[in-house]
Amino acid sequence: MARKKIIAGNWKMNMTPSEAVELINTLKPLVATEEADVVFCVPAIDIIPAMEAAKGSNIQIGAENMYFEEKGAYTGEIAPAMLTDVGVKYVIIGHSERREYFAETDETVNKKVLKAFEHGITPIVCCGETLTQREQGVTIDFIRQQIKIAFLNVTADQAKTAVIAYEPIWAIGTGKTATSNQAQEVCSAIRACIGEIYDEATAEAIRIQYGGSVNASTAAELFAKPDIDGGLVGGAALKPDFGKIVNYK
């Protein structure tokens, strides 16, 4: 069975609640498709107005992060039940910016992944290498380590429903995109790694996105690759052009 593409926008720290509503209203007709799952992962304060604005459309609203505890003295954090209570189905976990600026580690990523599954939220698990790592030829080794730790104690049934986003750090917001062959090579290695951890069926079921300066002109070539099941889109998700990425064919 063919995997359904999943194209997600990562809004990062952009869009006030009123701007979020305006953007969703602009994008609704442009992203209408049954060919792919369309997800907007938005800042926490935008989630509720975004949900309201997206009602009746094919757009699903996700979160950009969550904490791995149920509740408690964690000022500024968001609990999984807060997300599920308003209908959030997806959460980005372990984005390279969170790892770099907010001290997230492979271990905290794993805790968040487990907690997301516990609450029925689909994690979009991020992985990716730096330019130095790529130049030194350790990309695949590094990403296999990120994946193996992220999926520690995750069951095969859970893993089948997960999304992995491969984003080379050197391509995020730089305008540099990995070539479609470079992206396919790593996404194929990620699928093989999932196959080693679990089995062939799990590897075939899991959806793997490419992210890193995806835009309307690069989407079709990237998404045509056999192991790339869509994209995690940054800057281009904040513009009407996102419609062209979703309808890339």
Coordinates of all heavy atoms in Angstrom, one line a residue, residues 147-181:
I147 N 18.0 8.4 15.5 CA 16.8 7.6 15.3 C 16.7 6.4 16.3 O 15.6 6.2 16.9 CB 16.7 7.0 13.8 CG1 16.6 8.1 12.8 CG2 15.6 6.0 13.7 CD1 15.4 9.0 12.9
K148 N 17.8 5.7 16.5 CA 17.7 4.6 17.5 C 17.4 5.0 18.9 O 16.6 4.4 19.6 CB 19.1 3.8 17.4 CG 19.2 3.0 16.2 CD 20.4 2.1 16.2 CE 20.4 1.1 15.1 NZ 21.4 0.1 15.1
I149 N 17.9 6.2 19.3 CA 17.6 6.7 20.6 C 16.2 7.2 20.7 O 15.4 7.0 21.6 CB 18.7 7.7 21.1 CG1 20.0 7.0 21.2 CG2 18.3 8.3 22.5 CD1 21.2 7.9 21.6
A150 N 15.8 8.0 19.7 CA 14.4 8.5 19.6 C 13.4 7.4 19.7 O 12.3 7.6 20.4 CB 14.2 9.3 18.4
F151 N 13.6 6.3 19.2 CA 12.6 5.2 19.1 C 12.8 4.1 20.2 O 12.2 3.1 20.2 CB 12.6 4.6 17.7 CG 11.8 5.4 16.7 CD1 12.4 6.5 16.1 CD2 10.5 5.2 16.5 CE1 11.7 7.3 15.2 CE2 9.8 6.0 15.6 CZ 10.4 7.0 15.0
L152 N 13.7 4.4 21.2 CA 13.9 3.5 22.3 C 12.6 3.2 23.0 O 11.9 4.2 23.4 CB 14.9 4.1 23.2 CG 15.4 3.2 24.4 CD1 16.2 2.0 23.9 CD2 16.3 4.0 25.3
N153 N 12.2 2.0 23.2 CA 11.0 1.5 23.9 C 9.7 1.9 23.2 O 8.6 1.8 23.7 CB 10.9 2.1 25.3 CG 12.1 1.5 26.2 OD1 12.4 0.3 26.0 ND2 12.7 2.3 27.0
V154 N 9.8 2.4 21.9 CA 8.6 2.6 21.1 C 8.2 1.3 20.4 O 9.1 0.6 19.9 CB 8.9 3.7 20.0 CG1 7.7 3.8 19.0 CG2 9.2 5.0 20.7
T155 N 7.0 0.9 20.5 CA 6.6 -0.4 19.9 C 6.5 -0.3 18.4 O 6.4 0.8 17.8 CB 5.2 -0.9 20.4 OG1 4.2 0.0 19.9 CG2 5.1 -0.9 21.9
A156 N 6.5 -1.4 17.7 CA 6.4 -1.4 16.2 C 5.1 -0.8 15.8 O 5.0 0.0 14.8 CB 6.5 -2.8 15.7
D157 N 4.0 -1.1 16.5 CA 2.7 -0.5 16.1 C 2.7 1.0 16.2 O 2.1 1.7 15.4 CB 1.6 -1.1 17.0 CG 1.2 -2.5 16.5 OD1 1.5 -2.9 15.4 OD2 0.5 -3.3 17.3
Q158 N 3.3 1.5 17.3 CA 3.5 2.9 17.4 C 4.3 3.5 16.3 O 4.0 4.5 15.7 CB 4.1 3.3 18.8 CG 3.1 3.0 20.0 CD 3.8 3.2 21.3 OE1 5.0 2.9 21.4 NE2 3.1 3.5 22.3
A159 N 5.5 2.9 16.1 CA 6.4 3.4 15.1 C 5.8 3.5 13.7 O 6.1 4.4 13.0 CB 7.7 2.5 15.1
K160 N 4.9 2.6 13.4 CA 4.3 2.6 12.0 C 3.5 3.9 11.8 O 3.4 4.3 10.7 CB 3.3 1.4 11.9 CG 4.0 0.1 11.6 CD 3.0 -1.1 11.6 CE 3.7 -2.4 11.4 NZ 2.9 -3.5 11.9
T161 N 3.0 4.5 12.9 CA 2.2 5.7 12.8 C 3.0 7.0 12.9 O 2.5 8.1 12.7 CB 1.1 5.7 13.8 OG1 1.7 5.9 15.1 CG2 0.3 4.4 13.8
A162 N 4.3 6.8 13.2 CA 5.2 8.0 13.4 C 5.5 8.7 12.1 O 5.4 8.1 11.0 CB 6.4 7.6 14.2
V163 N 6.0 9.9 12.2 CA 6.5 10.6 11.0 C 8.0 11.0 11.4 O 8.2 11.4 12.6 CB 5.7 11.9 10.7 CG1 6.4 12.6 9.6 CG2 4.3 11.5 10.4
I164 N 8.9 10.8 10.5 CA 10.3 11.2 10.8 C 10.6 12.3 9.8 O 10.2 12.2 8.6 CB 11.3 10.1 10.6 CG1 11.1 9.0 11.6 CG2 12.7 10.6 10.6 CD1 11.9 7.7 11.4
A165 N 11.2 13.4 10.3 CA 11.5 14.5 9.4 C 13.1 14.6 9.3 O 13.7 14.9 10.3 CB 10.9 15.8 9.9
Y166 N 13.6 14.3 8.1 CA 15.0 14.5 7.9 C 15.3 15.9 7.5 O 14.9 16.3 6.4 CB 15.6 13.5 6.9 CG 17.0 13.9 6.5 CD1 18.0 14.1 7.4 CD2 17.2 14.0 5.1 CE1 19.3 14.4 6.9 CE2 18.5 14.4 4.7 CZ 19.5 14.6 5.6 OH 20.8 15.0 5.2
E167 N 16.0 16.7 8.3 CA 16.3 18.0 7.9 C 17.8 18.3 8.1 O 18.3 18.4 9.3 CB 15.6 19.0 8.8 CG 14.1 19.1 8.6 CD 13.5 20.4 9.1 OE1 13.6 20.7 10.3 OE2 12.9 21.1 8.3
P168 N 18.6 18.3 7.1 CA 20.0 18.6 7.2 C 20.1 20.0 7.8 O 19.6 21.0 7.2 CB 20.6 18.5 5.8 CG 19.4 18.5 4.9 CD 18.2 18.0 5.7
I169 N 20.9 20.2 8.9 CA 20.9 21.5 9.5 C 21.5 22.6 8.6 O 21.1 23.7 8.6 CB 21.7 21.4 10.9 CG1 21.0 20.5 11.8 CG2 21.9 22.8 11.5 CD1 21.8 20.0 13.0
W170 N 22.4 22.2 7.8 CA 23.0 23.1 6.8 C 22.1 23.6 5.8 O 22.4 24.6 5.1 CB 24.3 22.5 6.2 CG 24.1 21.1 5.6 CD1 24.2 19.9 6.3 CD2 23.7 20.8 4.3 NE1 23.9 18.9 5.4 CE2 23.6 19.4 4.2 CE3 23.4 21.6 3.2 CZ2 23.2 18.7 3.0 CZ3 23.0 20.9 2.0 CH2 22.9 19.5 1.9
A171 N 20.9 23.0 5.7 CA 19.9 23.4 4.6 C 18.7 24.2 5.2 O 17.8 24.6 4.5 CB 19.5 22.2 3.9
I172 N 18.7 24.4 6.5 CA 17.5 25.0 7.1 C 17.7 26.5 7.1 O 18.6 27.1 7.7 CB 17.3 24.5 8.6 CG1 17.0 23.0 8.7 CG2 16.1 25.3 9.3 CD1 17.0 22.5 10.1
G173 N 16.8 27.1 6.3 CA 16.7 28.6 6.3 C 17.9 29.2 5.6 O 18.1 30.4 5.6
T174 N 18.7 28.4 4.9 CA 19.9 28.9 4.3 C 19.7 29.1 2.8 O 20.5 29.7 2.1 CB 21.1 27.9 4.4 OG1 20.7 26.6 3.8 CG2 21.5 27.7 5.9
G175 N 18.6 28.5 2.3 CA 18.4 28.6 0.8 C 19.1 27.4 0.1 O 18.8 27.1 -1.0
K176 N 20.0 26.7 0.9 CA 20.6 25.5 0.3 C 19.7 24.3 0.5 O 19.1 24.2 1.6 CB 21.9 25.2 1.1 CG 23.0 26.1 0.8 CD 24.3 25.7 1.6 CE 25.4 26.7 1.4 NZ 26.5 26.4 2.3
T177 N 19.5 23.6 -0.5 CA 18.7 22.3 -0.4 C 19.6 21.2 -0.7 O 20.4 21.3 -1.6 CB 17.5 22.4 -1.4 OG1 16.9 23.6 -1.4 CG2 16.5 21.3 -1.1
A178 N 19.4 20.1 0.1 CA 20.1 18.9 -0.3 C 19.6 18.5 -1.7 O 18.4 18.7 -2.0 CB 19.8 17.8 0.7
T179 N 20.4 18.0 -2.5 CA 19.9 17.5 -3.8 C 18.9 16.4 -3.5 O 18.9 15.8 -2.5 CB 21.0 16.9 -4.7 OG1 21.5 15.7 -4.1 CG2 22.2 17.9 -4.9
S180 N 18.0 16.1 -4.5 CA 17.0 15.1 -4.3 C 17.7 13.7 -4.0 O 17.2 12.9 -3.3 CB 16.0 15.0 -5.5 OG 16.8 14.8 -6.7
N181 N 18.8 13.5 -4.7 CA 19.6 12.3 -4.5 C 20.2 12.2 -3.1 O 20.2 11.1 -2.4 CB 20.7 12.1 -5.5 CG 20.1 11.7 -6.9 OD1 19.0 11.2 -7.0 ND2 20.8 12.0 -7.9

